[in-house]
Amino acid sequence: MDTPSRRRPGPSGPDHCPDRTEDAVGAFALLVLELLALGVIVALWWMSGWTFDPAGSYAPDPVWGYLVAIGVLGLLALGAAWRASSRGAGATAWVQGLVFAVSLLLIAAGAVIQHRQDNPPPPSPCRDSPSAAWCNG
């Protein structure tokens, strides 16, 4: 008895060339939406430090909460990349993978910058007493 093979419906074979227009449009649309979301996250963080105080002594919020939002955006992109790759949408999978990688880089850079702001290096003893024996000058 011959059993039918389990294949995806639709034409296949060497003569079939799938239409990649839908894939490219979907990848572009998702990229634009994610860039808008990233822009909103960065704008909210930047506006947290905006003040009309002429002294300008107000610092922006710590970036940790905004990095969480970027992480959620990155995880959504990773999920979209996985789903697109399982459906054969190569352009969408690559673009979403790139968005995930960029979000990881932004999280790492933001964490390093915030850590340096939270833990400044100790002041140099040569600044207060430059004539000390251990100072070169």
Side-chain angles (χ1 to χ4, degrees):
M1 175 178 241
D2 194 17
T3 60
S5 63
R6 296 181 184 218
R7 291 183 5 196
R8 291 184 178 173
S12 63
D15 295 334
H16 175 68
C17 182
D19 184 21
R20 298 290 182 193
T21 306
E22 295 173 358
D23 183 24
V25 169
F28 181 74
L30 283 174
L31 180 65
V32 167
L33 289 174
E34 287 161 349
L35 288 175
L36 284 173
L38 185 63
V40 167
I41 293 168
V42 170
L44 287 173
W45 173 75
W46 182 70
M47 289 179 64
S48 72
W50 187 310
T51 180
F52 291 111
D53 183 16
S57 61
Y58 188 73
D61 290 341
V63 77
W64 300 116
Y66 300 97
L67 292 180
V68 170
I70 292 173
V72 168
L73 184 69
L75 288 176
L76 289 173
L78 181 65
W82 178 76
R83 186 155 173 92
S85 68
S86 67
R87 293 183 178 257
T92 303
W94 276 100
V95 168
Q96 293 305 299
L98 182 66
V99 168
F100 175 70
V102 167
S103 67
L104 286 180
L105 287 173
L106 287 173
I107 290 170
V112 167
I113 290 170
Q114 187 65 48
H115 178 71
R116 287 186 180 179
Q117 287 179 355
D118 291 345
N119 304 316
S124 172
C126 292
R127 190 185 80 193
D128 296 332
S129 59
S131 63
W134 57 82
C135 295
N136 295 330

